[in-house]
């Protein structure tokens, strides 16, 4: 079952202009509209959140908008630049989310994420990650995922707050109560339907098709069927000249897995030759299958380092051929290096007697394509006295920076994600607890070592200017060893709460 994401950027034009004119743009809370010409009239083409909150609407005459809001900031719209920026945004999404991405003018993107959501932690996490990325860049965004482009488009614009995942097969019921404008119809058709008394998609779905088609043409029925899923709506993926791509067209459609695998290997060999000519290695490759029913199927494979090894790339792609549904046949196969980086020759060993280092990049690539590259990581030391900040997650094959953890104070083999509060009996200010209760179990302390005083990072946060922690290594009657600390110095209230926490467990 296909899954399609619609990403809606409600104030795309004004956000883009504000970012472009960061030095001269008005404050973020100022009402801003972009004015353009529609036939002979100057109307509002785009408005930011402040202008919409003030009662302005898209399509409103410019003179009326200026009369309603006295401090309104007016700028000329630039639809050509908006479209170009949206294309660049679609290319960015292609490199990060899925192999089938297209711009959805004037203010959105559409992404076929079939089979790719698990690489981003599932549909909910994928949607929230998309929206958070845009919010972090100062761009408002809403996102929805559904079985069809039409349902996802409607959900992003009328249901998402800021995201919504429409369950498979539930799009018909969910969009029935939405206004007819959610069907992506021409404004004149929407106006005509409203004059006739139709307000929701459900009202249209219950009516006979013939009279509506006779009056409004075939677009109305086609949009309704596309949203519900009765007919397919293919997404034409974005491609640019900068992307390295190879294609193979077939006189007769192919469908057998063995045939697909054979031509996949040929495409990989051809792509690797092009990469070698440019001195590049692929970090992400997309294999697209154009079926005879004008729909697409895709396989995406990523690598931890730049690669142009034919065998490795072929294996990564052919391992997932069983996920492809050829339908009535595949007439075009294309292979694209959607993300490539410079690749230079490296010396494996420096002498004949030296043993080469084990290369685990192939294993990492296989695991990364099964569970997601973001779920594979290793820990690296960070220069910080605060224990939970002294560890960072980095990519598995990131070069070693040479930093190490200090060895004069031992650290537990298992550090809890967050310190957990414990109940203790202790003599302040410098003595370890006599006993402590953690997760409902009371443990008597038999041995203890400490305290090790850790100060807050006052140069990062004012709240840690005088904050301290006193850490102890303690051992209970069963021989288990724990790492606990008291928040504060035991004497002065401004140094901490003086509560006790368990932060780690020694092996």
């Amino acid at each position: 079952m296909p899954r399609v994401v619609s990403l809606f950027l409600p104030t795309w034009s004004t956000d883009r202009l504000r970012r472009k004119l960061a030095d001269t743009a008005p404050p973020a809370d100022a009402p801003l509209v972009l004015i353009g010409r529609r036939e002979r009239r100057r109307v509002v083409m785009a408005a930011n959140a402040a202008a919409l909150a003030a009662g302005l609407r898209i399509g409103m005459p410019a003179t009326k908008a200026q009369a309603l809001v006295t401090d309104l900031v007016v700028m000329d719209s630039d639809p050509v630049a908006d479209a170009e920026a949206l294309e660049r945004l679609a290319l960015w999404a292609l490199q990060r989310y899925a192999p089938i991405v297209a711009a959805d003018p004037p203010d959105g993107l559409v992404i076929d994420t079939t089979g790719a959501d698990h690489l981003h932690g599932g549909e909910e996490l994928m949607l929230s990650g998309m929206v958070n990325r845009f919010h972090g860049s100062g761009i408002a965004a809403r996102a929805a995922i559904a079985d069809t482009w039409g349902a996802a488009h409607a959900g992003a614009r009328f249901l998402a707050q800021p995201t919504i995942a429409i369950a498979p097969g539930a799009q018909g019921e969910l969009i029935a109560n939405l206004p007819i404008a959610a069907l992506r119809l021409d404004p004149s058709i929407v106006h005509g339907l409203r004059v006739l008394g139709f307000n929701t998609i459900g009202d249209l779905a219950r009516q006979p098709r013939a009279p509506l088609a006779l009056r409004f043409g075939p677009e109305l029925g086609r949009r309704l069927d596309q949203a519900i899923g009765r007919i397919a709506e293919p997404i034409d993926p974005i491609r640019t000249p900068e992307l390295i791509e190879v294609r193979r067209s077939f006189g007769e459609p192919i469908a057998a897995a063995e045939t697909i695998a054979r031509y996949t290997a040929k495409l990989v060999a051809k792509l690797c030759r092009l990469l070698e000519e440019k001195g590049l290695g692929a970090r992400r490759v997309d294999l697209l299958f154009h079926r005879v029913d004008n729909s697409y199927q895709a396989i995406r494979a990523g690598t931890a380092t730049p690669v142009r090894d034919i065998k490795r790339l072929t294996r990564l792609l052919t391992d997932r051929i069983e996920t492809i549904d050829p339908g009535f046949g595949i007439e075009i196969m294309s292979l694209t290096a959607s993300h490539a980086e410079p690749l230079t020759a490296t010396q494996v060993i420096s002498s004949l007697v030296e043993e080469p280092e084990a290369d685990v990049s192939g294993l990492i690539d296989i695991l990364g394509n099964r569970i997601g590259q973001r779920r594979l990581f290793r820990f690296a030391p960070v220069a910080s006295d605060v224990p939970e900040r002294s560890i960072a997650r980095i990519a598995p094959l990131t070069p070693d920076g040479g930093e190490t953890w200090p060895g004069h104070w031992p650290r537990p083999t298992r550090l809890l994600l967050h310190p957990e509060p414990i109940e203790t009996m202790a003599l302040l200010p410098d003595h370890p607890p006599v006993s402590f209760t953690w997760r409902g179990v009371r443990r008597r302390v038999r041995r203890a070592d400490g305290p090790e005083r850790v100060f807050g990072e006052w140069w990062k946060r004012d709240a840690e200017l005088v904050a301290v922690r006193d850490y102890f290594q303690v051992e209970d009657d069963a021989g288990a060893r724990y790492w606990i600390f008291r928040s504060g110095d035991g004497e002065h209230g401004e140094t901490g709460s003086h509560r006790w926490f368990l932060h780690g467990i020694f092996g």
Side-chain angles (χ1 to χ4, degrees), residues 16 21 48-49 87 116 219 223 237 246 252 310 329 336 361 384 403 406 428 441 466 483 487 504:
R16 183 195 65 80
L21 306 176
N48 67 355
E87 292 285 341
E219 180 184 2
R223 289 300 193 190
V246 293
E252 292 292 334
I310 297 175
T336 306
S361 60
S384 176
E403 296 183 355
L428 297 179
V441 178
V466 294
W483 204 38
S487 175

Side-chain angles (χ1 to χ4, degrees), residues 199-478:
N199 295 312
T200 67
I201 296 176
D203 294 339
L204 288 176
R206 290 187 290 268
Q207 299 300 315
R209 293 288 183 90
L212 293 175
L214 185 62
R215 179 159 185 169
F216 298 103
E219 180 184 2
L220 177 58
R222 184 176 67 253
R223 289 300 193 190
L224 185 59
D225 287 339
Q226 287 173 343
I228 297 174
R230 291 174 182 162
I231 60 175
E233 184 178 8
I235 300 171
D236 188 15
I238 185 173
R239 288 294 181 265
T240 64
E242 292 79 14
L243 294 177
I244 302 174
E245 182 180 25
V246 293
R247 296 167 62 90
R248 179 63 183 259
S249 300
F250 305 101
E252 292 292 334
I254 64 173
E258 296 81 5
T259 307
I260 295 174
R262 185 170 66 255
Y263 283 105
T264 297
K266 293 181 179 180
L267 288 175
V268 169
K270 188 175 180 181
L271 180 70
C272 287
R273 287 195 295 270
L274 294 179
L275 289 171
E276 186 175 5
E277 292 175 2
K278 298 178 179 292
L280 299 175
R283 286 292 308 275
R284 190 174 297 111
V285 290
D286 297 329
L287 183 59
L288 267 64
F289 305 90
H290 192 169
R291 307 194 311 183
V292 295
D293 61 357
N294 202 30
S295 64
Y296 286 92
Q297 297 273 300
I299 295 175
R300 163 162 286 189
T303 61
T305 57
V307 171
R308 56 172 179 255
D309 185 295
I310 297 175
K311 290 184 177 179
R312 182 187 297 187
L313 291 176
T314 301
R315 178 181 178 182
L316 293 177
L317 292 169
T318 55
D319 278 350
R320 299 190 57 207
I321 284 180
E322 69 273 6
T323 65
I324 297 300
D325 177 14
F328 295 106
I330 297 168
E331 57 184 3
I332 299 174
M333 288 175 58
S334 66
L335 180 62
T336 306
S338 54
H339 184 194
E341 294 180 356
L343 176 61
T344 56
T346 58
Q347 185 171 331
V348 179
I349 56 176
S350 58
S351 69
L352 295 178
V353 297
E354 183 179 349
E355 291 290 336
E357 295 184 2
D359 184 7
V360 297
S361 60
L363 175 61
I364 291 175
D365 291 343
I366 293 173
L367 294 176
N369 285 281
R370 290 180 180 175
I371 66 174
Q373 294 285 355
R374 296 182 181 180
R375 296 188 181 184
L376 291 178
F377 58 86
R378 65 180 179 89
F379 290 112
V382 177
S384 176
D385 290 334
V386 181
E388 61 267 29
R389 301 175 194 160
S390 64
I391 298 175
R393 293 182 178 186
I394 61 175
L397 298 181
T398 301
D400 192 353
E403 296 183 355
T404 60
W405 287 286
H408 57 281
W409 282 102
R411 291 293 183 257
T413 54
R414 178 190 172 194
L415 190 70
L416 301 183
L417 185 61
H418 301 288
E420 297 186 8
I422 57 176
E423 298 178 4
T424 64
M425 292 182 61
L427 182 64
L428 297 179
D430 297 326
H431 292 270
V434 177
S435 65
F436 66 93
T437 302
W438 176 51
R439 296 183 177 178
V441 178
R442 184 176 181 271
R443 295 168 172 83
R444 187 173 180 273
V445 176
R446 188 170 63 177
R447 296 186 181 88
D449 187 19
E452 174 195 354
R453 178 156 292 183
V454 174
F455 292 89
E457 297 180 332
W458 51 267
W459 59 93
K460 292 183 178 180
R461 302 177 182 177
D462 293 340
E464 298 183 17
L465 186 62
V466 294
V468 298
R469 295 178 184 177
D470 283 340
Y471 278 87
F472 293 85
Q473 301 175 47
V474 299
E475 181 180 326
D476 65 7
D477 289 333

